[in-house]
């Protein structure tokens, strides 16, 4: 297995999208694509599987709701019952309408914060991590596609040039 990649730089997102389709049709492996902004349809063109973050969000929201119910039942019913505004704390069900805002807020709080943590862990974005961006122009106005360098590198470079790349270079995989 080669540790070299061919980096093709594109100046337009539409050209990049067409190039990704051509590279995949030619059965070359795309390692990564760096873009300055999200490109609509790029995930489908690359053949990436749909994300499961919505399922994780639902689970995190359910955890938040359970924590809210357990916390309010313990604090307001069992540990320190108080008569607030003429509402005695005899049971959780009697007071549930007053607890709905707290349940909603903790559901959203848990879902949002745990989704962010999951995204960072899944993306391997640790604190003080060095940037992996191979070309600084991809943060401004260019798009970069890294393709595994296998077989004839010159032919693959010429193929990528034909797809509309403004620059093609071979480099070591980082």
């Amino acid at each position: 297995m080669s540790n070299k990649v061919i980096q093709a730089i594109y100046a337009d997102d539409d050209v990049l999208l067409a190039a990704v389709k051509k590279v995949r049709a030619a059965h070359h492996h795309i390692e990564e694509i760096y873009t300055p902004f999200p490109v609509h349809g790029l995930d489908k063109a690359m053949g990436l599987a749909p994300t499961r973050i919505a399922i994780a969000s639902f689970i995190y929201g359910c955890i938040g709701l359970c924590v809210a119910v357990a916390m309010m039942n313990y604090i307001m019913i069992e540990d320190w019952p108080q008569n607030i505004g003429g509402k005695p704390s005899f049971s959780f069900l009697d007071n549930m309408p007053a607890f709905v805002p707290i349940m909603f807020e903790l559901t959203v709080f848990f879902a949002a914060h745990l989704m962010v943590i999951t995204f960072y862990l899944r993306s391997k974005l640790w604190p003080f991590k060095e940037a992996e961006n191979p070309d600084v122009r991809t943060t401004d106005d260019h798009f970069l596609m890294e393709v595994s360098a296998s077989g004839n590198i010159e032919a693959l470079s010429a193929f990528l040039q034909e797809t509309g790349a403004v620059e093609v270079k071979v480099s070591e995989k980082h």
Side-chain angles (χ1 to χ4, degrees):
M1 185 87 181
S2 175
N3 61 348
K4 292 188 177 197
V5 290
I6 299 176
Q7 297 176 342
I9 297 177
Y10 297 87
D12 185 48
D13 58 337
D14 293 327
V15 175
L16 170 74
L17 202 53
V20 167
K21 292 175 183 174
K22 290 176 187 174
V23 169
R24 290 234 18 239
H27 302 293
H28 296 294
H29 178 67
I30 299 173
E31 292 285 334
E32 188 65 67
I33 296 179
Y34 298 90
T35 63
F37 54 84
V39 177
H40 181 70
L42 186 60
D43 53 343
K44 285 190 172 56
M46 288 179 65
L48 299 176
T51 181
R52 294 184 300 267
I53 194 78
I55 297 168
S57 175
F58 177 75
I59 292 169
Y60 297 153
C62 289
I63 291 169
L65 181 64
C66 291
V67 167
V69 168
M71 179 188 75
M72 289 182 303
N73 185 51
Y74 177 74
I75 292 171
M76 298 300 290
I77 306 300
E78 295 175 18
D79 184 43
W80 196 266
Q82 297 179 29
N83 187 343
I84 300 172
K87 298 177 188 168
S89 297
F90 296 132
S91 74
F92 181 79
L93 291 176
D94 290 337
N95 293 324
M96 194 159 70
F99 294 155
V100 167
I102 300 167
M103 292 187 293
F104 172 77
E105 290 297 331
L106 280 177
T107 299
V108 172
F109 179 85
F110 270 68
H113 285 79
L114 290 175
M115 275 179 37
V116 168
I117 291 169
T118 300
F119 172 76
Y120 283 150
L121 292 175
R122 187 82 175 106
S123 301
K124 298 180 181 140
L125 293 173
W126 320 115
F128 310 110
K129 182 180 182 207
E130 292 292 323
E132 294 180 2
N133 194 352
D135 194 320
V136 295
R137 293 177 290 177
T138 61
T139 62
D140 186 23
D141 61 350
H142 282 75
F143 306 85
L144 186 140
M145 176 171 39
E146 284 186 345
V147 180
S148 295
S150 58
N152 189 351
I153 294 176
E154 290 80 19
L156 183 55
S157 296
F159 172 71
L160 290 172
Q161 199 79 36
E162 291 171 9
T163 63
V166 294
E167 182 182 327
V168 176
K169 61 184 174 182
V170 179
S171 66
E172 294 292 322
K173 190 185 292 187
H174 53 275

